[in-house]
Amino acid sequence: MKILQVDHLSKSYGTGEAKVMALDDVSFSVDKGEFVAIIGPSGSGKSTLLHILGGVDKPTSGNVYIDGVDIYSLNESKLAIFRRRQIGLIYQFYNLIPVLNVSENITLPLELDGQMTPKTRLNEIVKTLGLSDRLKHLPNELSGGQQQRVSIGRALINNPAIVLADEPTGNLDSTNSKEIMELLKASNKKYNQTLIVITHDENIALQADRIISIHDGKIQMNEVASCERLI
Amino acid sequence: MRIRKNPEVNKLYLFFAIVLVAVISFSIYQSMYILNKYEQILYNNDAEIISSLKDNPDAEIKVIKVISGKADVNAEDGKVILSQYGVQQNDIKNLSNELYTNAFLISLPGILAFVLLLICCVYFIDKQYKRINEITAYSQRVLQKDYSLDIRENVEGDISNLKNEIYKLTVMLREQSEQQTEDNKRLATALSDVSHQLKTPMTSLFVMTDLIKQDNIPKEKKQEFMDTIQNQLERINWLVSSLLTLSKLDAQAIKMKREQHSMAELIKAALEPVLIPAELKEIDINIENIDAHFIGDFYWSREALVNILKNCIEHTNAHGKIDISFEENRLYTELRIKDNGEGISKEELKHIFKRFYKGENAGEGSVGIGLAMAKAIFLEQDGDIVCNSKENVGTEFIIKWPK
C-alpha cells in the first residue's frame, strides 16, 4: 500500500536570472512500513524535499499525497491539523520545548489535538526509548542522545502515517548516532512505521530498505539498498 | 426528525420547553408589575394636579409646576378629592385595559430572543447528530468490508478526533484482512510444498520396500536398501519435526525465555553438531574472544544458529573460513557470522528467509526450512536476523537480541 506519493514536484526560489531550482520534477512513492533514506550533498535539495513532504513549505508545482490525501489542496488550518495527526517530524537539533518535561514534550501533539493521552501507549514508547526514569526531567537536564530520543517519542506518539527525520544523528557522537538509528529502525519494525530519513551519512543510508539520492534537485538513484556493504 | 430518537435530545427539549414556559410567565408577570407601577405614578400625578387646584387663583402656574414636578404639593389631599368623585387608581381614563393588552407585546422581544436561541440550539444539535450518523453509516460500510471511504476531516474538536481514530481502526482492519488473504495463499502453497517434500522420500521408500520383498536378493544389497530406507525415514522425521516447530512458532505457542546467557557458550553449543562437516571441508572457524552476553532463549537460539552455521558450511568451499564476532551495547547484542563462500545473488537474497525457498545452489536434500525457522526464532525473541552477501565473495548473517 502506498502511503506517500510524490508527483512531479518542483520548487524554485527567486525569479529570472536569480532563479534557483531547488527541486526539479521529482517523483517517487513510498510503501507503508518502508524505511527510506534520502541522501545527497548539502544544497542538493534534500531538506527542501523534506520540508515539502512535511507540509511546512509549499511546492511551486506538483502534488504530495500522504495516505491518499493531496496535502497541498488543504487550506492552512486543515493542513496544520493534518500535519499534527499524520506526520511525525524529527529534527537535527531536537526542537524540544525547554519548559516542558520529557513526558509533556512527548505528549504535546496529543495535547494540541485536545486528545487524552493513552497511558499504555506512552508507557510503551518511553520504555522502548529507555526514558522511563526520566519522565519528569527538563530537556536541559538530558544528554543530546536522550533529547533526540524524546523527539522520537514525540514523533511516534500519534501513530502518524509517516515519520520524517532530518539529519537525526547530525548532532550526535557515533555511539549515540548508532543508538538513535537502532531505535528508529526498531520503531519501523515494531509499529510498521513508515520512516523517511534525510542524511548525508552513507552508513546510515545503507541501513534503509531503499535509498533515494538527490543531486541538484533531481533524483539520481532510487533503488533497494544494496546488500554488498560487507565488502 | 431522526434526532428525536435520542433520549438525551428529548430530555434537552423537555428542559427547553419548561424554561420557555417559565420565561414567558415570568416576563408577563414582570410587565404587569411594571404597568401597575406606571399606573400608580400616573394616579399620583393626577392627584397632585387636583391637589394644586385646591385654592384656585394661580391654578395655571401651579398645574404647570406640578406637571414639571417642581411644585411642592401633597398627593394625599388630591387622592381624597378624587375619591370624593369616585375615582380610584383603576379608573384613570380606561388606560388600564389598553396597557394590559400591551403587556404581552412588551415582553415579546425577550421571548423572541429566547425562541431564536432555541432554534440555534436545535440547529446545532441536529448538525452534531448528523456527524455522528455519518460515523455510523461509515462503520456500517466498513462492516461490509468496504474500506474505500475516508472520513477524516482535519478540523479541531472531539468528533473530528473520533473520526480520525476510527479511520485508523479502518486502516488496521484493512491491513489485517489483506494479511489474512496473503496468509491463506501462503498456507495453500506451504501445504502443497510440504506434501511434495514428503512425497519424494516416500516414493523412494515404496521402491525400496518393493525391492526388499524380492526373494533372490543378496544380503549386502538388502543391507544397502535398509540403509537408504533409514536415511529417508530420518529425513521425513526431521522434516515433520521442523514443520511442527515452525507451526508452533507461527501460532506463538512457544514461549521464548528471556534470560542472560554467555555468548561464548551459545556459540560453543551451536558449533557442536557442525564441527565434523567443518573439519571434513577443512574450514577454519575463528571466534572472537571477548566476553559478551545476550538476553534471550538459549535452547531456541542455539537451534537457529545451528541452521545458519550448517548453511554457511554447506556453501563455503574446502579450506574456506568462517568468522564469528559479536558486540554488546546498551540496546542489543549483535552476532555476526561471516563466511567467504560462494555468496548469494541479489535476486535470491530477497527470498532466503522465505519458507520452502531453495536457491539455485541449494544442497541436495535441502528443503528451504532452516533459515526460515531461524528467522522465526529470532523474531519471536523480538530480535532479528539480516543477511548481506556478494557472489563469490561471501555471506554475512547479522543477528540481534534486544535488551
Side-chain angles (χ1 to χ4, degrees):
Chain A
M1 194 188 116
K2 278 191 176 54
I3 197 93
L4 170 72
Q5 189 170 352
V6 175
D7 279 344
H8 306 290
L9 206 63
S10 294
K11 173 79 183 176
S12 58
Y13 294 105
T15 48
E17 291 276 308
K19 190 171 171 179
V20 178
M21 289 296 276
L23 286 177
D24 192 359
D25 197 28
V26 168
S27 299
F28 65 94
S29 65
V30 175
D31 282 339
K32 184 161 170 60
E34 232 187 330
F35 170 16
V36 175
I38 297 177
I39 57 169
S42 52
S44 58
K46 58 186 195 306
S47 288
T48 308
L49 177 62
L50 191 95
H51 288 150
I52 291 176
L53 296 184
V56 281
D57 195 4
K58 268 193 190 306
T60 315
S61 67
N63 302 88
V64 176
Y65 297 90
I66 294 176
D67 204 4
V69 177
D70 181 358
I71 60 169
Y72 289 103
S73 70
L74 301 173
N75 64 30
E76 272 300 319
S77 58
K78 281 192 173 178
L79 180 58
I81 293 166
F82 184 87
R83 208 161 42 213
R84 198 163 71 201
R85 289 180 185 162
Q86 313 289 352
I87 301 171
L89 277 168
I90 297 166
Y91 301 93
Q92 182 176 354
F93 297 105
Y94 332 127
N95 290 7
L96 300 175
I97 312 279
V99 294
L100 298 182
N101 67 30
V102 167
S103 141
E104 288 164 339
N105 261 296
I106 291 177
T107 56
L108 189 66
L110 291 171
E111 293 286 331
L112 285 175
D113 218 19
Q115 293 185 41
M116 284 194 293
T117 308
K119 270 272 167 331
T120 46
R121 179 159 177 84
L122 178 65
N123 287 340
E124 195 194 322
I125 283 181
V126 292
K127 200 179 149 225
T128 314
L129 296 172
L131 291 167
S132 303
D133 50 350
R134 312 231 171 247
L135 286 178
K136 296 287 171 225
H137 287 59
L138 291 174
N140 62 15
E141 298 166 331
L142 302 174
S143 72
Q146 285 168 333
Q147 288 189 52
Q148 192 62 301
R149 283 190 258 154
V150 176
S151 86
I152 291 176
R154 180 181 56 188
L156 291 176
I157 190 81
N158 233 351
N159 267 322
I162 55 173
V163 167
L164 303 172
D166 191 359
E167 301 275 8
T169 61
N171 203 31
L172 299 174
D173 61 41
S174 63
T175 316
N176 274 310
S177 293
K178 208 169 166 188
E179 209 172 287
I180 291 297
M181 281 319 293
E182 283 304 324
L183 285 170
L184 283 174
K185 271 166 34 188
S187 74
N188 166 249
K189 277 242 148 58
K190 195 167 178 182
Y191 305 119
N192 196 25
Q193 179 68 63
T194 314
L195 177 63
I196 297 176
V197 173
I198 282 209
T199 181
H200 57 252
D201 185 339
E202 272 198 29
N203 283 326
I204 287 173
L206 280 169
Q207 299 173 37
D209 300 331
R210 193 147 58 93
I211 301 175
I212 292 174
S213 114
I214 290 192
H215 268 267
D216 295 332
K218 287 189 176 121
I219 289 187
Q220 222 179 29
M221 179 186 94
N222 178 1
E223 60 181 37
V224 172
S226 136
C227 303
E228 295 168 6
R229 71 174 149 131
L230 95 136
I231 313 308
Chain B
M1 274 210 292
R2 271 202 53 168
I3 67 162
R4 289 287 310 280
K5 285 191 181 134
N6 297 296
E8 67 275 11
V9 173
N10 280 335
K11 260 187 210 161
L12 190 67
Y13 283 0
L14 182 68
F15 174 74
F16 278 164
I18 294 169
V19 172
L20 183 63
V21 169
V23 165
I24 291 174
S25 326
F26 180 73
S27 53
I28 288 175
Y29 169 79
Q30 180 82 357
S31 42
M32 280 191 169
Y33 176 79
I34 291 166
L35 279 176
N36 191 273
K37 269 268 179 259
Y38 180 62
E39 271 174 14
Q40 258 180 35
I41 292 163
L42 219 60
Y43 178 62
N44 221 39
N45 202 36
D46 287 357
E48 281 172 3
I49 292 168
I50 295 292
S51 154
S52 70
L53 289 172
K54 219 164 40 182
D55 16 79
N56 209 334
D58 306 313
E60 220 168 77
I61 302 160
K62 267 194 177 166
V63 167
I64 287 167
K65 274 188 179 164
V66 170
I67 289 170
S68 56
K70 281 173 189 162
D72 179 25
V73 286
N74 188 355
E76 288 314 309
D77 295 343
K79 279 179 189 168
V80 173
I81 298 168
L82 278 171
S83 66
Q84 278 167 5
Y85 289 93
V87 178
Q88 297 297 329
Q89 185 181 326
N90 299 350
D91 302 322
I92 302 167
K93 279 196 210 155
N94 262 343
L95 204 59
S96 5
N97 289 340
E98 212 177 309
L99 282 177
Y100 279 121
T101 50
N102 281 339
F104 181 71
L105 281 180
I106 292 168
S107 57
L108 203 58
I111 293 168
L112 262 181
F114 186 76
V115 169
L116 254 158
L117 198 72
L118 272 189
I119 291 171
C120 288
C121 281
V122 170
Y123 173 75
F124 173 79
I125 291 167
D126 192 47
K127 214 174 150 189
Q128 298 315 311
Y129 275 88
K130 268 194 187 133
R131 290 175 78 190
I132 292 173
N133 286 334
E134 246 176 71
I135 299 174
T136 313
Y138 175 78
S139 308
Q140 280 161 352
R141 285 187 68 167
V142 171
L143 272 180
Q144 308 287 328
K145 295 200 183 304
D146 176 3
Y147 303 119
S148 57
L149 271 180
D150 182 355
I151 48 162
R152 287 175 299 176
E153 12 167 67
N154 296 310
V155 292
E156 301 278 0
D158 288 344
I159 292 188
S160 170
N161 274 337
L162 176 66
K163 285 185 171 183
N164 195 46
E165 290 305 310
I166 286 180
Y167 178 77
K168 281 181 185 168
L169 273 180
T170 314
V171 171
M172 201 178 83
L173 279 175
R174 184 178 62 203
E175 278 170 3
Q176 277 178 357
S177 104
E178 278 165 9
Q179 183 67 43
Q180 211 173 15
T181 324
E182 189 73 13
D183 284 352
N184 285 343
K185 270 190 213 154
R186 259 187 41 198
L187 185 67
T189 358
L191 275 177
S192 91
D193 282 334
V194 170
S195 7
H196 186 77
Q197 290 298 337
L198 286 173
K199 229 167 176 170
T200 321
M202 256 145 81
T203 317
S204 148
L205 284 176
F206 278 126
V207 174
M208 292 298 146
T209 43
D210 269 350
L211 286 173
I212 289 172
K213 270 186 206 156
Q214 292 169 359
D215 296 328
N216 53 352
I217 248 177
K219 210 177 172 200
E220 316 82 77
K221 264 286 182 233
K222 215 169 190 172
Q223 189 56 45
E224 195 191 314
F225 292 153
M226 289 298 225
D227 286 346
T228 319
I229 289 176
Q230 176 99 27
N231 278 341
Q232 296 296 350
L233 281 173
E234 266 164 20
R235 188 173 164 198
I236 293 179
N237 188 32
W238 180 82
L239 189 68
V240 170
S241 60
S242 305
L243 283 171
L244 257 172
T245 310
L246 260 182
S247 71
K248 272 191 203 157
L249 282 169
D250 273 356
Q252 297 183 329
I254 294 174
K255 193 97 191 106
M256 292 285 171
K257 291 188 191 120
R258 275 184 63 80
E259 293 163 349
Q260 181 158 320
H261 295 284
S262 149
M263 206 70 210
E265 258 171 54
L266 175 69
I267 290 164
K268 200 176 142 203
L271 276 173
E272 220 169 88
V274 296
L275 277 178
I276 293 168
E279 216 163 279
L280 286 176
K281 285 178 102 173
E282 290 181 47
I283 292 171
D284 184 19
I285 300 178
N286 301 310
I287 305 165
E288 195 180 20
N289 189 20
I290 50 170
D291 186 35
H293 293 84
F294 74 98
I295 296 173
D297 191 298
F298 189 87
Y299 173 80
W300 286 107
S301 300
R302 174 186 171 270
E303 204 63 19
L305 280 182
V306 170
N307 282 316
I308 291 161
L309 287 166
K310 266 188 193 161
N311 192 287
C312 288
I313 289 166
E314 196 173 311
H315 294 281
T316 302
N317 302 325
H319 308 294
K321 63 170 183 156
I322 293 175
D323 291 320
I324 300 175
S325 58
F326 33 85
E327 184 193 328
E328 186 181 357
N329 62 30
R330 278 198 292 160
L331 286 172
Y332 55 85
T333 310
E334 187 179 273
L335 169 66
R336 289 180 297 269
I337 301 173
K338 185 171 160 185
D339 66 39
N340 64 346
E342 59 204 30
I344 303 164
S345 74
K346 225 176 182 178
E347 196 39 51
E348 285 192 330
L349 199 54
K350 285 183 208 157
H351 306 290
I352 59 163
F353 292 115
K354 281 187 187 156
R355 242 160 252 196
F356 305 113
Y357 178 83
K358 282 194 285 183
E360 277 172 33
N361 308 324
E364 200 189 334
S366 154
V367 189
I369 237 177
L371 290 181
M373 197 159 75
K375 178 111 183 166
I377 288 170
F378 291 124
L379 286 179
E380 197 58 30
Q381 296 179 68
D382 283 331
D384 201 6
I385 174 167
V386 289
C387 178
N388 301 311
S389 187
K390 189 167 187 173
E391 274 180 292
N392 301 320
V393 179
T395 305
E396 181 185 29
F397 288 97
I398 300 168
I399 299 140
K400 269 179 202 161
W401 289 268
K403 286 201 169 163

